[in-house]
Amino acid sequence: MSMKFKQAERLQKLPPYLFVRLEQLAAQKKAEGVKMIDFGIGDPDLPCPGEIVRAMKKAADVNENQKYSSSKGEKDLREAIAEYYKKRFNVKVNPDTEVCVTIGSKEGIYNIAQAFVNDGEKIIAPNPGYPVYSGAATLFNNAVCDKITLKKENKWLLDVKECPTDAKLMYINYPNNPTGATADLDYVKDVYKWAKRNKTILAYDNAYCEMTYDGYRAPSVLQAGKDAIEFMSFSKTFCMTGFRLGFAVGNEELVSGLTKCKGQIDSGAPIFIQKAAITALQMYTDDGYLKESVQKNMDEFGERRKVLVEGLNELGYECDMPKGTFYVWFDCGKTSMEFTQEMIDKGVIVTPGTGFGGACEGYIRMAVTKPVDQIQEALRRMGKRND
């Protein structure tokens, strides 16, 4: 008989990862021969631009690029990140002290709490929000999470007047996962001033900053000031989710603490992938706009978003047109899991809003990671709202 091993209490406190449960439910239907249309996990289906893939293949053949990197990342990539900030946001960044390359932004989002939050200190997390904020970042650091409810009537913007003034760290994310909400620079500046006034570390998750539509351009928190840390990712903009690469930029002490923490945990992202990322960051015009080979993917997501939102509204669901991310967020008129199960029975995989926090019961997130013809087929399967 095999031995039984008990998980650490911190791990037992984590709720089951939502997408694992969805995969199990979907697998049952697939076994019955149903062809599922999956709008669940936010993994771009469009290919990474060929220039980036070719750069990675070429770099992988170089012996030096097959060695360990450093937890801070390669200097030439950090310099390319600094150049990106200058082009895109007109913000000057020191690549030696204010930039750290991460193994995807998720790792950095977790490790910033590891680096700065002590036992019993407070972390502010939006509700709904990316599960890492209130999950591992809080529980694995014995912190206390204050979940701040985002409200539709406030356009899903976090209201700092509802936040505790004694928190050690605040996570905020616009363009927002899961709601698709966006924020302008004035809002970001107000949050930045609040955090600085209350000595709260502002961790700004900006993974979707280039996935924007209808003339909207997302700001950087560093346009408000340097006393914050911003997390960026190559995953969504360049369809590089499997490459696992991101970066953190901001206050020198925050970047230093993050780098020190990473030094005990990882040995840096693969160098040949970092070299490919330099090519990605060169795919901007001098005035900070994406070049056509990348922009065409963003335009495709924008068109899919339009088809899905218009289709949902025709079916009777009240659904706003998001200006950011590739998520569509709507009130399904019943419990999130009840609706999710109904959709799975119809061969459509969606994500229940409750997976992003208890404040969003009755909401559903759909990621437009399928082509237009499959979105139209999914809408046909979903049928009219009948509550």
Side-chain angles (χ1 to χ4, degrees):
M1 182 180 293
S2 61
M3 292 179 63
K4 299 292 184 182
F5 295 95
K6 189 176 181 180
Q7 295 177 350
E9 290 180 6
R10 71 178 75 87
L11 192 60
Q12 293 181 52
K13 290 177 183 177
L14 275 180
Y17 196 52
L18 174 67
F19 292 107
V20 173
R21 176 59 178 152
L22 290 177
E23 287 172 6
Q24 293 169 344
L25 291 171
Q28 294 171 11
K29 300 303 293 184
K30 289 177 183 176
E32 297 169 11
V34 178
K35 187 175 181 181
M36 308 298 291
I37 306 176
D38 192 349
F39 301 97
I41 194 167
D43 193 353
D45 61 311
L46 299 176
C48 175
E51 300 97 309
I52 299 171
V53 176
R54 289 191 291 273
M56 182 194 67
K57 289 178 178 178
K58 183 178 179 180
D61 280 334
V62 178
N63 181 262
E64 287 123 22
N65 296 340
Q66 300 164 2
K67 311 304 179 186
Y68 285 125
S69 181
S70 69
S71 296
K72 179 179 277 192
E74 296 298 295
K75 183 176 177 63
D76 51 359
L77 176 54
R78 287 185 278 112
E79 289 174 342
I81 291 167
E83 180 63 24
Y84 160 73
Y85 265 83
K86 182 63 178 173
K87 278 185 179 180
R88 176 65 173 82
F89 303 110
N90 196 29
V91 170
K92 187 176 180 181
V93 169
N94 187 326
D96 295 321
T97 60
E98 297 177 334
V99 180
C100 177
V101 177
T102 60
I103 305 174
S105 60
K106 185 177 187 178
E107 170 258 303
I109 287 166
Y110 168 70
N111 276 323
I112 194 66
Q114 283 270 83
F116 288 95
V117 180
N118 297 306
D119 288 9
E121 291 184 327
K122 290 180 183 177
I123 290 176
I124 295 170
N127 183 14
Y130 188 41
V132 176
Y133 308 149
S134 59
T138 297
L139 294 173
F140 288 3
N141 293 295
N142 296 320
V144 176
C145 188
D146 262 313
K147 294 184 179 181
I148 306 301
T149 300
L150 309 184
K151 300 169 185 174
K152 182 179 180 180
E153 57 268 27
N154 197 35
K155 299 181 179 179
W156 306 106
L157 293 172
L158 184 143
D159 187 348
V160 292
K161 293 193 293 293
E162 297 180 0
C163 295
T165 57
D166 59 344
K168 184 66 173 287
L169 184 146
M170 167 194 278
Y171 288 111
I172 195 168
N173 163 228
Y174 293 101
N176 182 259
N177 175 18
T179 68
T182 54
D184 60 21
L185 183 55
D186 286 342
Y187 171 82
V188 173
K189 286 179 176 178
D190 286 343
V191 175
Y192 176 86
K193 290 174 185 175
W194 179 93
K196 191 165 182 176
R197 183 167 62 249
N198 292 293
K199 296 181 174 59
T200 299
I201 296 169
L202 178 56
Y204 198 87
D205 180 359
N206 209 358
Y208 300 91
C209 75
E210 304 294 14
M211 192 171 270
T212 57
Y213 321 104
D214 304 334
Y216 169 76
R217 298 196 82 196
S220 163
V221 72
L222 301 190
Q223 290 174 281
K226 289 283 190 73
D227 289 329
I229 189 164
E230 180 162 81
F231 296 94
M232 293 277 199
S233 174
F234 291 91
S235 292
K236 304 304 191 292
T237 304
F238 301 101
C239 298
M240 291 171 63
T241 53
F243 291 61
R244 304 314 306 134
L245 198 68
F247 51 94
V249 182
N251 176 276
E252 182 176 335
E253 291 184 1
L254 295 178
V255 170
S256 175
L258 174 65
T259 304
K260 182 178 180 181
C261 182
K262 284 169 55 60
Q264 297 296 313
I265 297 169
D266 67 67
S267 300
I271 296 175
F272 58 89
I273 292 179
Q274 294 189 54
K275 300 298 183 184
I278 295 171
T279 296
L281 291 176
Q282 290 170 345
M283 297 171 76
Y284 283 86
T285 61
D286 289 340
D287 53 357
Y289 284 87
L290 289 168
K291 292 183 178 179
E292 176 58 27
S293 54
V294 184
Q295 186 60 46
K296 67 180 182 180
N297 282 349
M298 300 302 103
D299 292 343
E300 172 67 17
F301 288 127
E303 177 59 23
R304 294 175 180 184
R305 160 209 63 137
K306 187 171 181 289
V307 171
L308 180 57
V309 169
E310 290 176 351
L312 288 170
N313 281 314
E314 287 176 9
L315 294 179
Y317 299 98
E318 187 178 328
C319 185
D320 295 329
M321 189 73 71
K323 291 187 177 181
T325 76
F326 58 176
Y327 303 122
V328 171
W329 179 253
F330 65 98
D331 186 339
C332 67
K334 56 187 66 176
T335 70
S336 299
M337 277 309 299
E338 182 182 2
F339 184 86
T340 299
Q341 184 65 68
E342 286 180 9
M343 292 303 105
I344 287 176
D345 291 341
K346 295 181 178 183
V348 179
I349 301 173
V350 300
T351 303
T354 45
F356 303 96
C360 37
E361 177 61 270
Y363 278 87
I364 294 293
R365 191 195 79 174
M366 295 178 72
V368 289
T369 51
K370 296 295 177 186
V372 167
D373 62 335
Q374 291 193 46
I375 293 173
Q376 291 169 334
E377 169 61 17
L379 290 165
R380 186 194 66 75
R381 293 184 187 183
M382 292 172 74
K384 292 284 185 182
R385 181 174 180 171
N386 56 11
D387 55 4

